Amino acid sequence: MATSAANQAFRIVHSVCSHDCPDSCGVLVTVDSEGRAVKMQGDPSHPVTQGFLCGKVAKYLDRVYSPQRILYPLRRKPGVAKGQLPKGSEHEAFARISWDEALDAIARRLGEISNTYGPESVLPYSYAGTMGVLGYGSMDRRFFHRLGASQLDRTICAEAGGQAWKLVYGKKLGTPNQDFVHSKLIVCWGGNVHGNNVHLWPFIEQARRDGARLIVIDPYRTRTAALADWHIQVRPGTDAALALGLMHIILRDGLEDRAYVKEMTHGFSKLAARAAEYTPERVSAWTGLSVTEIEQFACEYATTKPAVIRMNYGVQRSENGGAAVRAITMLPALTGAWQHRGGGAQLSTSGAFQWNSKTIERPDLMLASPLKRPARVVNMSLLGHALTSLGSQLGEGPDEGPRVHALFVYNSNPGAVAPNQNDVRRGMQRGDLFTVVHEQFFTDTTDYADYVLPATTFLEHDDIQGAYGHYFVQRSHKAIEPLGEARSNVWLFSQLARRVGFTEPCFNDTAEEMIRQALNLGEDGLSRNPGMEDISDERLAAEGHIQLSFTRENGKPFLPFSHGSVPTPTGKIEFYSEALAAAGNADPLPAFVPPVESRFSEAAKQYPLEFLPRKADNFMNTTFANLDSHRRMEARTEHGLEMRAEDAVPRGIADGDTVRIWNDRGSIELTARISDRIPAGVVAGKLDWAKFSPGGQNVNVLTSERLTDLGRAPTFYSTLVEVAKA
Ligand SMILES: Nc1nc2c(c(=O)[nH]1)N[C@H]1C(S)=C(S)[C@@H](COP(=O)(O)OP(=O)(O)OC[C@H]3O[C@@H](n4cnc5c(=O)[nH]c(N)nc54)[C@H](O)[C@@H]3O)O[C@H]1N2
Ligand SMILES: Nc1nc2c(c(=O)[nH]1)N[C@H]1C(S)=C(S)[C@@H](COP(=O)(O)OP(=O)(O)OC[C@H]3O[C@@H](n4cnc5c(=O)[nH]c(N)nc54)[C@H](O)[C@@H]3O)O[C@H]1N2
Ligand code: SF4
Ligand SMILES: [Mo]
């Protein structure tokens, strides 16, 4: 939508914030006659963006035009060892080269490694640095599939919860944000809405003005919890017990919706038998909540209509996280809350967007690779293991795969975000590992690269995007020319494909062509994707955002799972999972199992404190953390290690002391902050760049590679530590 503003000297371009956030805001970028972006604002016509941007992206031009941007391809200078580089000194470690030199050298080396050790010795590593359909995974997927590189199982964020939701409902759909205004009870369960999902907040506030209550369930008193009517401060990792305890009370008191349960669900009697075990007294002992709190919460939840649960991904980052998400998501099925506008639940709306992914990602190209079969799968949450263990049992593919000899990182900063960071770094430091990083800034990961390539920001390339927190398809237009020699992910992998010698025509596709492929446009110019039937390229370009058709039919409210069949194997909402029962290795019903790292476990004798290595409100995972403007905003909230006086005093720790926090995996130092934001026995820290943290190490030195009960995802929030004065 490159519409001209009244003042002809400026253009306003519609783009989409591509950061890993549920809100996927529509963004209007004002570009001056010199081609420089001078202003960014939230699209006022977008029903969820509502004209405002979060604090992080309101200052986005600081990031785009930051003097710290990487603008040219770089090669590590001979003799400079891999490892952490002091902040600001990165340029000295690398020499500027041309794109031609970089692409030729990288293509040659990938070819050599692939020929010598087998193509599976090449490991791509990416996540959601950009959520654009093309930027997240398109030409890169084609390239690595055709090469025969290891497949990456992208589990680091949402797999435990995602699989849990799909077991119960078949598809990730949920209550639309706009309908939260009709709710009378909003429960934020392991979601920090005010910090991480701020465009839901105005709808919550509207509902509250109309009499709704807000309950937040979180071990940490977040901004969201502080603003709630009731903060239920559950102990980490015990949500499955709480949800089953709620079911116990609901069924004991006959508060379930029997007609809905009969018509819509599968396995009710088995679930009822399970819930009977979860008496309020037992649940109280696990969760640290009083019996009265549990009783009151259950009664309020089951008797207030409409009631909606906004989960986010906090609950599922613990060992029992899959079961916890399953149990929580069953609550609206028990009470029939899906039938009411403003009732139900939302974990993610991503299942609504059915892009033409086979064409975009071309998994069939794996059969054209030298392997002639799908490559092995490596779990991104086990990166430390993958890089340090030779010929080990990796992923679901062949057990004995080759050692990883090439690591290609883009859209991610594993040096800071991956668990068990000491192993990750030991791996990245290997002299025989060839590492390429495509980035916008010198991160904790570029410090280990042989080649660093400059990446564009979302202002500098074209893309198309869905969302995991709303139902709008959006077109993101390139607003400005790439800075320096920055290039998009699509461009990079299309160039590499040619240099490696791949001749399939799909490697010549442009971004524009790939956007049309993603939309799967028919001869009439309209999309063939479900829910996108009235979307054409032109209409999307003109309007910027279009709501998926099935969420707005005949002006009727969109009430997912309110009636009819559900896309699970039984066609019903599954309280009892026949699939899990058939697989035989998992409980077909949700249950609370105390995490191996929790106050209930053997390990707590040595490491008695539960550690929450949380996200920062003013960063996006580790994105933005290198910018002074964002660090200043974040400095207003607590930094360091938050601990309660009850835990600090017996250890002789006072506010402001430097403390050592450790477990078997490693040790970090932080400043102690005496705080009542956490319950006793819990300490909290924040995700930051390792190179900005004391000793050059961040919280992920302490987190483990133990995986969740479902989805093989990381267990960041099931971490035990001990703390002492340094
Ligand atoms: N400002 C900002 N916004 C972000 C991000 C960011 O880093 N900063 N990250 C983005 C990404 S990648 C994602 S996935 C989303 C995630 O959004 P959220 O799911 O909201 O993410 P978290 O902050 O991981 O977890 C939410 C809350 O869960 C709490 N929690 C931890 N353990 C438990 C538990 O056992 N039970 C319960 N009930 N709560 C628990 C944490 O204290 C935290 O406040 O946010 C996105 N938005
Ligand atoms: N302790 C702890 N660890 C965590 C979490 C936590 O809450 N606590 N959260 C976890 C979660 S939920 C997630 S999702 C992961 C996130 O982990 P990552 O996906 O690694 O997230 P970021 O740290 O934001 O790093 C994304 C990088 O992508 C780059 N980038 C952005 N756009 C582009 C582009 O177009 N092209 C290329 N090539 N690069 C681009 C950015 O500059 C940035 O450095 O971290 C996980 N790690
Ligand atoms: S980070 Fe989230 S809230 Fe902020 S502008 Fe981007 S999509 Fe919107
Ligand atoms: Mo995430």
Side-chain angles (χ1 to χ4, degrees):
M1 189 168 53
T3 47
S4 303
N7 183 342
Q8 286 301 317
F10 293 92
R11 287 181 303 133
I12 294 177
V13 182
H14 182 280
S15 67
V16 185
C17 174
S18 67
H19 288 284
D20 188 355
C21 169
D23 299 2
S24 285
C25 289
V27 180
L28 301 182
V29 186
T30 307
V31 183
D32 72 12
S33 56
E34 317 269 87
R36 193 179 165 89
V38 291
K39 187 178 158 196
M40 285 171 66
Q41 66 180 112
D43 182 352
S45 75
H46 189 300
V48 177
T49 308
Q50 297 200 68
F52 76 97
L53 300 173
C54 67
K56 305 176 287 294
V57 173
K59 293 177 184 297
Y60 206 66
L61 295 178
D62 288 356
R63 184 166 191 273
V64 173
Y65 293 111
S66 164
Q68 300 167 45
R69 276 282 298 272
I70 299 169
L71 297 178
Y72 307 99
L74 301 164
R75 178 168 52 210
R76 180 171 293 274
K77 288 182 182 163
V80 178
K82 291 182 186 179
Q84 203 167 63
L85 298 166
K87 192 173 132 192
S89 76
E90 295 91 345
H91 265 293
E92 290 155 35
F94 295 95
R96 180 175 168 182
I97 54 173
S98 70
W99 265 111
D100 273 336
E101 282 175 281
L103 292 165
D104 283 339
I106 293 166
R108 196 168 51 239
R109 194 81 191 97
L110 289 180
E112 284 164 9
I113 288 171
S114 171
N115 289 336
T116 313
Y117 306 103
E120 286 166 312
S121 64
V122 177
L123 179 66
Y125 194 94
S126 75
Y127 199 61
T130 165
M131 292 210 308
V133 172
L134 305 192
Y136 177 76
S138 61
M139 196 61 89
D140 54 312
R141 302 295 201 269
R142 295 176 182 179
F143 175 77
F144 289 115
H145 287 150
R146 176 66 182 78
L147 195 68
S150 288
Q151 300 186 75
L152 187 72
D153 196 3
R154 293 179 169 78
T155 56
I156 202 160
C157 172
E159 273 306 289
Q163 288 206 14
W165 182 280
K166 281 192 249 170
L167 281 167
V168 182
Y169 291 102
K171 199 171 180 183
K172 288 204 265 177
L173 293 176
T175 310
N177 286 10
Q178 301 96 304
D179 281 350
F180 276 57
V181 299
H182 301 289
S183 190
K184 290 294 170 225
L185 178 67
I186 297 164
V187 181
C188 293
W189 202 319
N192 178 13
V193 170
H194 207 273
N196 301 354
N197 174 204
V198 68
H199 290 83
L200 181 59
W201 191 254
F203 300 108
I204 294 179
E205 279 297 284
Q206 177 64 46
R208 293 174 87 184
R209 280 194 291 276
D210 294 340
R213 261 166 63 83
L214 173 66
I215 298 179
V216 171
I217 305 177
D218 195 313
Y220 187 91
R221 196 171 72 239
T222 57
R223 247 154 56 175
T224 320
L227 292 164
D229 297 293
W230 186 11
H231 176 200
I232 298 181
Q233 204 164 20
V234 69
R235 285 180 186 150
T238 63
D239 303 85
L242 180 57
L244 283 155
L246 255 55
M247 293 181 199
H248 178 101
I249 296 165
I250 290 169
L251 297 174
R252 181 197 68 196
D253 297 352
L255 299 174
E256 75 276 18
D257 181 334
R258 284 193 201 134
Y260 179 87
V261 164
K262 187 156 181 284
E263 190 198 323
M264 294 294 295
T265 70
H266 171 77
F268 173 72
S269 54
K270 292 192 179 98
L271 179 69
R274 177 60 57 86
E277 299 166 21
Y278 288 80
T279 61
E281 293 70 26
R282 290 182 79 200
V283 171
S284 166
W286 282 316
T287 58
L289 306 172
S290 71
V291 169
T292 321
E293 277 178 296
I294 298 163
E295 291 276 357
Q296 192 192 326
F297 178 34
C299 178
E300 192 172 335
Y301 174 70
T303 59
T304 312
K305 294 177 194 303
V308 67
I309 300 175
R310 174 52 163 136
M311 308 182 64
N312 209 323
Y313 285 109
V315 167
Q316 49 104 63
R317 302 194 211 290
S318 65
E319 268 171 66
N320 198 212
V325 171
R326 283 181 74 211
I328 296 166
T329 60
M330 289 173 189
L331 292 168
L334 213 52
T335 61
W338 291 109
Q339 300 164 105
H340 315 126
R341 188 174 197 183
Q346 189 195 108
L347 170 66
S348 166
T349 58
S350 62
F353 298 89
Q354 295 183 54
W355 304 105
N356 185 13
S357 58
K358 282 210 173 86
T359 304
I360 288 298
E361 300 177 14
R362 295 291 305 272
D364 58 295
L365 287 173
M366 281 190 283
L367 303 179
S369 77
L371 294 175
K372 309 270 180 252
R373 58 162 170 86
R376 73 169 170 198
V377 179
V378 173
N379 186 341
M380 75 183 300
S381 302
L382 302 178
L383 180 62
H385 173 78
L387 295 180
T388 55
S389 308
L390 188 140
S392 60
Q393 308 211 342
L394 294 175
E396 280 87 65
D399 280 351
E400 289 299 314
R403 188 169 164 89
V404 175
H405 281 275
L407 177 69
F408 203 126
V409 182
Y410 52 104
N411 290 348
S412 184
N413 183 12
V417 304
N420 197 11
Q421 194 176 102
N422 279 334
D423 272 4
V424 172
R425 284 169 180 255
R426 260 196 293 279
M428 292 196 305
Q429 212 149 14
R430 272 172 41 201
D432 63 336
L433 180 72
F434 176 66
T435 302
V436 180
V437 182
H438 187 218
E439 248 302 346
Q440 298 159 347
F441 290 93
F442 288 112
T443 62
D444 287 325
T445 308
T446 55
D447 286 357
Y448 294 81
D450 293 283
Y451 286 85
V452 178
L453 305 174
T456 42
T457 67
F458 74 82
L459 265 59
E460 297 155 72
H461 56 241
D462 283 293
D463 215 324
I464 186 165
Q465 197 167 313
Y468 66 99
H470 63 64
Y471 291 109
F472 293 84
V473 174
Q474 294 181 88
R475 178 68 161 85
S476 191
H477 293 272
K478 176 168 134 180
I480 57 173
E481 287 307 313
L483 268 68
E485 293 178 5
R487 292 294 179 266
S488 70
N489 298 4
V490 168
W491 184 89
L492 167 62
F493 289 102
S494 129
Q495 289 292 319
L496 272 177
R498 278 175 231 178
R499 313 244 173 180
V500 175
F502 299 159
T503 52
E504 286 81 0
C506 69
F507 290 111
N508 298 327
D509 289 345
T510 62
E512 309 269 321
E513 282 161 347
M514 291 176 82
I515 287 170
R516 288 198 287 275
Q517 290 164 5
L519 282 169
N520 195 9
L521 298 177
E523 277 176 12
D524 54 3
L526 293 172
S527 172
R528 295 289 182 263
N529 294 336
M532 303 186 194
E533 305 81 359
D534 54 0
I535 299 185
S536 66
D537 206 14
E538 295 73 28
R539 214 191 127 198
L540 198 54
E543 296 175 30
H545 57 265
I546 298 176
Q547 192 172 348
L548 293 171
S549 61
F550 59 83
T551 68
R552 54 171 162 75
E553 256 154 3
N554 317 321
K556 277 193 293 194
F558 176 52
L559 300 176
F561 314 117
S562 58
H563 62 278
S565 86
V566 172
T568 56
T570 58
K572 305 274 179 193
I573 298 170
E574 296 196 357
F575 290 143
Y576 180 90
S577 166
E578 299 292 350
L580 287 185
N585 54 358
D587 195 337
L589 291 165
F592 171 65
V593 180
V596 173
E597 292 198 32
S598 75
R599 67 182 72 210
F600 304 107
S601 63
E602 226 359 73
K605 292 193 181 127
Q606 198 180 357
Y607 300 116
L609 297 169
E610 292 170 333
F611 180 48
L612 287 181
R614 300 178 59 262
K615 298 174 189 297
D617 285 345
N618 298 291
F619 308 153
M620 174 63 63
N621 301 309
T622 65
T623 304
F624 300 108
N626 59 322
L627 302 176
D628 289 342
S629 46
H630 292 69
R631 291 196 81 78
R632 273 198 300 275
M633 291 196 291
E634 191 58 31
R636 286 185 220 133
T637 66
E638 222 51 81
H639 258 300
L641 185 80
E642 291 184 74
M643 63 193 307
R644 281 187 84 93
E646 298 93 299
D647 293 317
V649 172
R651 290 175 172 80
I653 295 167
D655 191 82
D657 284 349
T658 301
V659 288
R660 193 164 79 87
I661 308 125
W662 78 97
N663 57 26
D664 285 345
R665 293 174 288 274
S667 154
I668 61 173
E669 285 194 358
L670 289 171
T671 306
R673 291 291 169 215
I674 306 303
S675 156
D676 61 1
R677 287 196 187 84
I678 45 258
V682 179
V683 294
K686 233 185 251 180
L687 184 59
D688 196 348
W689 285 24
K691 61 169 115 176
F692 295 171
S693 309
Q697 293 193 301
N698 79 6
V699 291
N700 278 326
V701 160
L702 301 169
T703 56
S704 78
E705 288 179 277
R706 193 172 290 111
L707 300 175
T708 47
D709 53 350
L710 289 173
R712 297 170 51 77
T715 52
F716 294 113
Y717 296 161
S718 293
T719 302
L720 283 177
V721 297
E722 180 54 294
V723 180
K725 210 164 152 166

